[in-house]
Amino acid sequence: MSTRRIIPEVDDVDTLCCFLRLPQVISMCLAFSLVASMGNERGAVGNWCLAIWCLCFTVTVFISMYECFYYDRILPFFWYKLPITYACYATLFCLLTSIMYPIFYVQYLPYGPSRDRAIAASAFSCIACVLYAIDVAYTWKHYKFKNIPCYVHTLPGLLKILESAVACHLRLHQQHLPVPAPAGPEVTVLSFLLYVSAMVLWPLYQFDEKLGGQPHWYTDTSCIDELTDYGCVWDQRLAVAILTAINLLMYVADLVYWTRQVL
């Protein structure tokens, strides 16, 4: 059954979403093309951002083509959940890459064509983030979800998206931190405990000089000498601490929600 037959307001929403698809695709295409043209100078952070932008470009093209060729004929009842879920993830990923790429890599590039390309790629990532956010906000505001239940439109659904998105970015900066996939209340409790332990142990061993850490930015040679493949390592460690704290807060909110549901 087509969602058009279920919800009259869907046409206006689809018109705007389809209108946003083209600038989304163009922004992502330009972002990853600019970074790809840097060759070996893009670094590990650049490679990771490149993969994110390529993924967003590919999925947006797929959704656009599917809607253009099959929407009126064989659109499944559950199809709508995929675009809105993807738009939420794309918004978060583009936001995080737009922040982290300039802070942890671009600022350390020497002035020249590569730096200009990296700055332009960051700008297009910001534009794509805004476009995906408009897609999500407009859909939530004008689309009626009563007849089509959508998990993304609930508080637990939003928390799961935020938790998993931040966890993916933690993977970029540190492979050894616990980043469990969010699931039900039992896993939320386990995740909360793991993040609490990480929030305590990570700063101690990374920033406490007595335990072999580096308490100051200027003590890390990767931050003041020639640009390394991973940029400033101290900044990367600080990013891990910040992202861990953010995800811990989200797991606390998730745990509180499930506790209230049980009680």
Side-chain angles (χ1 to χ4, degrees):
M1 181 181 295
S2 173
T3 54
R4 288 183 184 274
R5 299 176 185 175
I6 301 174
I7 303 174
E9 293 87 347
V10 73
D11 288 325
D12 293 335
V13 178
D14 293 334
T15 300
L16 177 65
C17 291
C18 292
F19 176 77
L20 290 171
R21 296 278 191 265
L22 181 59
Q24 288 169 357
V25 169
I26 293 174
S27 298
M28 288 291 88
C29 181
L30 290 173
F32 78 74
S33 297
L34 287 166
V35 175
S37 66
M38 294 170 60
N40 295 331
E41 294 182 357
R42 59 177 175 261
V45 177
N47 288 332
W48 185 83
C49 292
L50 177 65
I52 292 294
W53 295 330
C54 285
L55 177 62
C56 290
F57 169 80
T58 303
V59 177
T60 304
V61 170
F62 168 75
I63 291 176
S64 301
M65 293 181 65
Y66 188 90
E67 291 178 341
C68 288
F69 290 104
Y70 299 105
Y71 191 80
D72 290 322
R73 292 179 290 173
I74 59 172
L75 182 67
F77 180 82
F78 58 83
W79 166 258
Y80 178 71
K81 298 179 182 180
L82 174 60
I84 186 63
T85 303
Y86 162 70
C88 291
Y89 273 110
T91 301
L92 291 174
F93 280 125
C94 288
L95 174 62
L96 291 173
T97 53
S98 300
I99 295 173
M100 292 185 175
Y101 187 54
I103 292 178
F104 299 121
Y105 193 76
V106 176
Q107 66 169 324
Y108 300 104
L109 285 170
Y111 289 95
S114 294
R115 183 186 178 92
D116 294 339
R117 292 191 186 98
I119 293 174
S122 301
F124 283 116
S125 180
C126 291
I127 294 173
C129 176
V130 173
L131 293 171
Y132 284 119
I134 294 174
D135 192 345
V136 174
Y138 189 86
T139 303
W140 280 356
K141 181 178 180 180
H142 296 282
Y143 204 96
K144 306 302 181 183
F145 283 91
K146 294 180 180 179
N147 295 322
I148 302 181
C150 187
Y151 187 60
V152 178
H153 197 238
T154 65
L155 177 59
L158 289 176
L159 287 173
K160 296 297 182 289
I161 289 178
L162 291 170
E163 291 162 2
S164 57
V166 174
C168 287
H169 281 75
L170 278 170
R171 287 288 188 187
L172 165 68
H173 296 288
Q174 180 51 249
Q175 295 290 333
H176 304 295
L177 274 182
V179 284
E186 298 82 3
V187 177
T188 297
V189 174
L190 176 61
S191 302
F192 168 76
L193 295 176
L194 289 173
Y195 271 98
V196 168
S197 64
M199 194 64 223
V200 173
L201 296 176
W202 180 260
L204 283 177
Y205 285 95
Q206 298 300 325
F207 302 115
D208 192 334
E209 193 171 5
K210 295 180 181 179
L211 297 177
Q214 295 176 308
H216 304 292
W217 176 87
Y218 57 80
T219 60
D220 191 337
T221 57
S222 67
C223 299
I224 56 178
D225 291 341
E226 185 178 354
L227 180 68
T228 63
D229 188 45
Y230 286 88
C232 177
V233 176
W234 194 91
D235 284 348
Q236 300 280 337
R237 294 168 180 166
L238 179 62
V240 169
I242 295 173
L243 291 174
T244 302
I246 292 174
N247 234 12
L248 175 59
L249 292 176
M250 288 188 289
Y251 276 110
V252 169
D254 201 354
L255 186 60
V256 170
Y257 174 84
W258 285 111
T259 302
R260 292 182 63 181
Q261 292 295 111
V262 173
L263 299 178

